[in-house]
Amino acid sequence: MPVNRLDEHGADYWARQVRVGALIALLVTLLGAVQVLANWAPAERWWAAPLIGAALAQGSLALMPWRRWVRDAGVRTALILWWVLEIPALAAVAYKDPNGVVFYLPCAMLIVILATALYRTVVVAALGVVAIAGFFALLPGHPGTGTALIAGMVSVMGCVVLITSIIAHNRRRLDDRRRVAERRTEALLQNSPEVVVALGRDGDVRYVSPSVRSVLGYDPASVTGTLLTELVHPDDLPRMRTWTATLRGSAPGTTAEVETRLRRADGSWAVLDAIGTNCLADPDLGSVVLSARDVGSRKALEEQLSRQAFTDALTGLSNRALFRDRLHHATARRDAGVTVLLIDLDDFKDVNDNLGHSAGDELLTTLAARLRDNVRPGDTLARLGGDEFAVLIEDLDGRDPGALADRLLRELRQPMRLGSRDIRCTASIGVADSRDLSGPAGEELLRNADLAMYAAKRQGRNAYALFDPGMYASLVNEAQVRTEMEAALAGEQFVVHYQPVVDLPTQRVTGVEALVRWQHPERGLLAPQHFIDTAEESGLIVPLGRWVLQESCRQLARWNQAGLRMNINLSARQFQDAHLVADVRDALATSGVDPACITLELTESMLLQDIDAATETLHALRRLGVRLAIDDFGTGYSSLNYLKRLPVDILKIDRAFITQVATDAEDKALVDAVVSLGQALQLQTVAEGIETDDQWATLRRLGCDYGQGYLFGRPADAETIEHLLTTPALSDAS
């Protein structure tokens, strides 16, 4: 049976074969009419009229719309009757014709051959059998036909039937394979992420693959025959027309790529990457073939990655990469002044440590919004990382950058609520202008702003500073000191000097305070004021403090003086270092000294930066057995409540109150109050900076326990102190 559904190609094939059959039937029937008129008896020549009528009727069938009709499986089946009825009609004419046996054979075989082009083997074989049966049916009308002729003609007919049956079978197999290949191709195109489109010379869509359903949401039939430009985005239309015109005019086989937007069935726009090939010269295609892939997801991902690459995820501001890129382009143009403001939050680490990183993130987001509200839309505001922001201004329009920096400082100082606490945040701002550049490098401008920002921090923070070329000298000096300090640590150039601490009533040496010095190879012995600030800023104070701790404990063990105490200062960074407790434990274990003989000194400001964390660290140190002292007491802002919470043993009165304690009633009253406070809290008191006998006498009368200063001894090396320790009491000031 014929295939139930025909595609365009199959319908064209069937229509052509039916028309060919109709024309052959016209020709053969007319030849039969001519035979009747030429060779039949006059009385029977009337047969010519119906034959001519039949010929014209069959010829008219060639004009019918078979391309549409043959799509109906019933019509294709009914056509078999045409072939079947042709054979008995042919046999009837041959029966009466004197030469019927001769012309029946080619005509019958022609019918079988025509059927071979359309029908399956069984239909062709059946027609062959009917044709042979018709031959035998006409033999009685021709009694003179020889047996040999009959046998030969039947054999020829049998061979023709066999061959046409084989041909029909092979054609059927080829058709089945072709249909399988077409279905496979259709399935691949249907499930392919790419849409294949064939465009005619006028841009009309001649073919579109089934995958257009999944990519654009259209049925292929609704797109076929339309102009592709009807789907193109209006903004892309001129470029798309130019591209297609160029491709059509190019050499055969030329390929070109284009990215465009096409309207989906739901009205949205799909971004497609299309590769077109000029196949207009190919007789089987005659089209420009496009292979288009939806790249919308890829484009969205690229845009997202681009945003992530150039946008700070927390604040939504530009990030360091985008800021540097815009700074580079701005300084390269140099058609207008370029100004950079570098903003660094003061003590932001305390917010993270005390309130947590979530609060820190909320603070950064809030401050970023404040900064955004105070810069022009054309300016670039970026978060460079951590708590550092930057503003790039390409044209100040005569405005004062200092005024802008001052306004930003005021905005940042406005209180904000984080959780249950009100927070005030300050910042240090460095301002640099492109007029200070020696070249077009944006990095130099950023470095200048960085120098100015650190200058603002050195001025006390919560301020701004304008870049000055003289800042380079300070930077170079600090860098040199930092480099030399690193070499000094490695080369053991640091030494520890010790200042005696005496019992004020007896003047007996009860301990010493360890004070670091730098034995500089070129500048000689340097006091702490020449290098401690640099060590603190660079972080070298931590390894330096660790070395002082270890050396002081070792020296105390070498002196082997029972009851002698060693006072060791801790810096702010050292106190915040996570390994402090472990460092103290290791120094005690390595030296073997009694922990009770070690006193660690800390300032009030260090303890009150984070009272809870400080209390925890102090308790951990106390568990090691060491004693704790608050140094420079009275210069800070500690409350009695905090003082009661902290596990300290000693209050050291700052020298600022000792200088005039014998002559100034207010200083004397303040020292008296501190001593009384220490006695009330069962804390020992130590006076610093005692230089005169009057100071010593006054402090003794006030009840101060211990003292140190030039009156009792200047800081000296270990050998000098060892000699001093052999003296029972210091009767004379040295």
Side-chain angles (χ1 to χ4, degrees):
M1 295 296 293
V3 180
N4 291 331
R5 184 176 66 87
L6 289 181
D7 56 16
E8 294 294 328
H9 173 75
D12 286 340
Y13 177 78
W14 268 80
R16 285 196 303 270
Q17 294 300 321
V18 171
R19 290 190 177 98
V20 169
L23 293 176
I24 291 177
L26 167 65
L27 178 61
V28 171
T29 306
L30 288 177
L31 289 175
V34 171
Q35 176 69 13
V36 169
L37 293 174
N39 297 319
W40 284 27
E44 295 181 346
R45 288 178 182 172
W46 61 270
W47 279 92
L51 286 176
I52 293 173
L56 295 177
Q58 292 183 98
S60 66
L61 292 177
L63 303 177
M64 298 294 104
W66 291 107
R67 192 173 184 274
R68 184 178 74 252
W69 288 357
V70 294
R71 293 180 183 274
D72 188 344
V75 172
R76 297 196 300 273
T77 303
L79 284 174
I80 299 176
L81 296 176
W82 182 14
W83 269 264
V84 172
L85 293 176
E86 288 282 349
I87 293 176
L90 175 62
V93 174
Y95 185 84
K96 297 184 66 65
D97 190 268
N99 301 315
V101 174
V102 176
F103 70 76
Y104 175 82
L105 176 62
C107 292
M109 291 303 98
L110 188 59
I111 294 173
V112 174
I113 291 171
L114 288 172
T116 303
L118 295 176
Y119 292 102
R120 299 170 62 182
T121 304
V122 62
V123 175
V124 174
L127 283 175
V129 171
V130 172
I132 294 174
F135 177 74
F136 282 109
L138 65 83
L139 287 177
H142 301 274
T145 305
T147 304
L149 179 61
I150 294 173
M153 295 182 72
V154 170
S155 299
V156 171
M157 292 181 66
C159 290
V160 172
V161 171
L162 177 61
I163 292 172
T164 53
S165 298
I166 293 173
I167 292 174
H169 175 70
N170 291 338
R171 182 190 57 79
R172 181 67 178 183
R173 290 182 60 188
L174 290 174
D175 288 345
D176 290 342
R177 290 180 180 177
R178 178 182 59 82
R179 279 190 288 270
V180 169
E182 290 175 350
R183 285 195 296 270
R184 183 186 300 113
T185 302
E186 184 177 355
L188 290 174
L189 292 174
Q190 175 68 48
N191 297 284
S192 171
E194 298 186 357
V195 178
V196 178
V197 182
L199 297 179
R201 292 185 179 275
D202 298 328
D204 56 309
V205 179
R206 293 185 175 181
Y207 169 82
V208 62
S209 63
S211 56
V212 72
R213 292 190 181 93
S214 59
V215 176
L216 296 177
Y218 294 108
D219 185 85
S222 66
V223 179
T224 304
T226 64
L227 295 176
L228 181 64
T229 52
E230 296 177 3
L231 304 179
V232 177
H233 192 282
D235 294 342
D236 298 344
L237 196 55
R239 178 167 52 88
M240 193 64 181
R241 283 173 173 165
T242 301
W243 180 80
T244 52
T246 302
L247 187 59
R248 284 196 300 268
S250 62
T254 301
T255 61
E257 187 172 1
V258 69
E259 185 177 287
T260 188
R261 288 167 290 179
L262 297 184
R263 186 178 61 252
R264 293 191 179 96
D266 60 6
S268 62
W269 296 98
V271 182
L272 300 180
D273 183 34
I275 298 177
T277 304
N278 185 352
C279 298
L280 292 171
D282 189 328
D284 295 326
L285 293 174
S287 306
V288 172
V289 179
L290 304 184
S291 178
R293 177 186 292 268
D294 188 349
V295 294
S297 299
R298 189 193 73 191
K299 296 287 289 185
L301 179 60
E302 289 176 353
E303 293 176 0
Q304 179 183 355
L305 292 176
S306 178
R307 286 194 300 270
Q308 292 176 353
F310 295 107
T311 305
D312 177 61
L314 177 63
T315 62
L317 302 178
S318 303
N319 64 5
R320 179 181 292 271
L322 182 57
F323 183 84
R324 287 180 180 274
D325 181 70
R326 291 185 177 176
L327 178 61
H328 170 75
H329 288 291
T331 53
R333 288 194 297 270
R334 298 297 291 271
D335 53 355
V338 179
T339 303
V340 169
L341 279 70
L342 194 61
I343 307 166
D344 189 83
L345 304 183
D346 299 329
D347 300 320
F348 175 73
K349 182 178 182 297
D350 294 343
V351 176
N352 278 338
D353 293 343
N354 297 335
L355 302 180
H357 289 279
S358 297
D361 291 345
E362 184 180 350
L363 174 64
L364 291 173
T365 304
T366 303
L367 295 181
R370 291 183 180 181
L371 292 172
R372 187 187 292 111
D373 293 339
N374 283 274
V375 299
R376 300 176 304 179
D379 299 335
T380 299
L381 172 63
R383 180 186 175 211
L384 302 187
D387 60 346
E388 194 173 52
F389 297 86
V391 182
L392 171 63
I393 305 172
E394 296 195 39
D395 187 0
L396 275 172
D397 294 331
R399 294 184 301 166
D400 179 15
L404 174 60
D406 191 56
R407 186 174 77 248
L408 294 179
L409 288 175
R410 289 197 305 271
E411 288 296 327
L412 294 176
R413 281 197 300 266
Q414 295 299 317
M416 68 189 72
R417 191 151 189 90
L418 293 181
S420 59
R421 299 178 61 175
D422 288 328
I423 298 294
R424 287 181 182 269
C425 184
T426 63
S428 300
I429 301 179
V431 182
D433 192 273
S434 59
R435 291 172 295 183
D436 299 318
L437 295 179
S438 58
E443 290 298 323
E444 183 180 353
L445 183 58
L446 191 59
R447 184 172 62 249
N448 292 349
D450 192 54
L451 285 173
M453 184 268 292
Y454 278 107
K457 285 190 177 294
R458 285 193 294 270
Q459 293 171 9
R461 306 186 177 190
N462 189 27
Y464 72 88
L466 301 176
F467 171 76
D468 184 278
M471 293 178 179
Y472 272 122
S474 176
L475 174 66
V476 171
N477 181 62
E478 290 181 6
Q480 182 178 355
V481 172
R482 187 180 302 115
T483 302
E484 291 179 350
M485 284 191 65
E486 292 174 351
L489 276 172
E492 300 182 355
Q493 296 176 12
F494 290 100
V495 295
V496 180
H497 283 192
Y498 306 91
Q499 184 176 35
V501 178
V502 303
D503 178 71
L504 287 183
T506 65
Q507 204 179 355
R508 181 176 58 85
V509 177
T510 60
V512 294
E513 180 178 356
L515 302 169
V516 66
R517 300 289 187 267
W518 183 1
Q519 189 63 57
H520 196 282
E522 297 176 359
R523 300 165 60 189
L525 190 65
L526 299 180
Q529 61 264 29
H530 294 288
F531 59 87
I532 283 296
D533 289 343
T534 301
E536 188 78 33
E537 292 178 3
S538 64
L540 291 173
I541 193 68
V542 174
L544 177 60
R546 186 182 301 119
W547 177 83
V548 172
L549 176 65
Q550 295 170 348
E551 178 61 24
S552 301
C553 289
R554 286 194 295 264
Q555 185 58 53
L556 182 62
R558 285 193 290 267
W559 283 331
N560 195 23
Q561 291 281 336
L564 184 68
R565 294 189 174 92
M566 178 69 72
N567 293 9
I568 305 171
N569 292 282
L570 296 180
S571 71
R573 280 209 178 188
Q574 193 177 7
F575 184 68
Q576 295 169 357
D577 186 61
H579 302 95
L580 172 63
V581 176
D583 290 342
V584 175
R585 183 187 302 111
D586 292 343
L588 294 173
T590 303
S591 63
V593 299
D594 182 2
C597 295
I598 300 298
T599 300
L600 301 179
E601 298 185 8
L602 311 98
T603 64
E604 289 179 86
S605 58
M606 288 165 49
L607 298 175
L608 298 180
Q609 286 180 358
D610 186 347
I611 188 65
D612 294 329
T615 302
E616 182 179 346
T617 302
L618 292 178
H619 278 293
L621 293 171
R622 281 295 299 272
R623 285 193 290 271
L624 297 178
V626 300
R627 303 202 310 164
L628 302 172
I630 297 181
D631 196 12
D632 301 332
F633 186 77
T635 60
Y637 46 88
S638 58
S639 66
L640 292 178
N641 180 49
Y642 283 162
L643 192 59
K644 186 174 65 175
R645 288 178 56 188
L646 298 173
V648 297
D649 305 283
I650 300 170
L651 299 179
K652 297 192 71 174
I653 306 171
D654 187 70
R655 67 179 63 248
F657 304 111
I658 304 302
T659 302
Q660 299 182 19
V661 69
T663 58
D664 187 283
E666 291 184 358
D667 283 352
K668 181 179 179 180
L670 287 172
V671 173
D672 186 26
V674 173
V675 171
S676 299
L677 176 63
Q679 292 171 348
L681 297 176
Q682 298 182 345
L683 302 176
Q684 294 178 345
T685 52
V686 179
E688 298 180 293
I690 302 174
E691 298 182 354
T692 67
D693 289 329
D694 290 341
Q695 294 170 348
W696 175 29
T698 302
L699 291 168
R700 278 188 300 171
R701 286 195 300 270
L702 293 176
C704 186
D705 300 311
Y706 302 96
Q708 65 185 95
Y710 287 173
L711 180 65
F712 308 114
R714 294 174 178 270
D717 56 29
E719 290 75 11
T720 304
I721 297 298
E722 185 173 3
H723 174 71
L724 186 64
L725 292 175
T726 61
T727 304
L730 295 172
S731 56
D732 299 315
S734 54

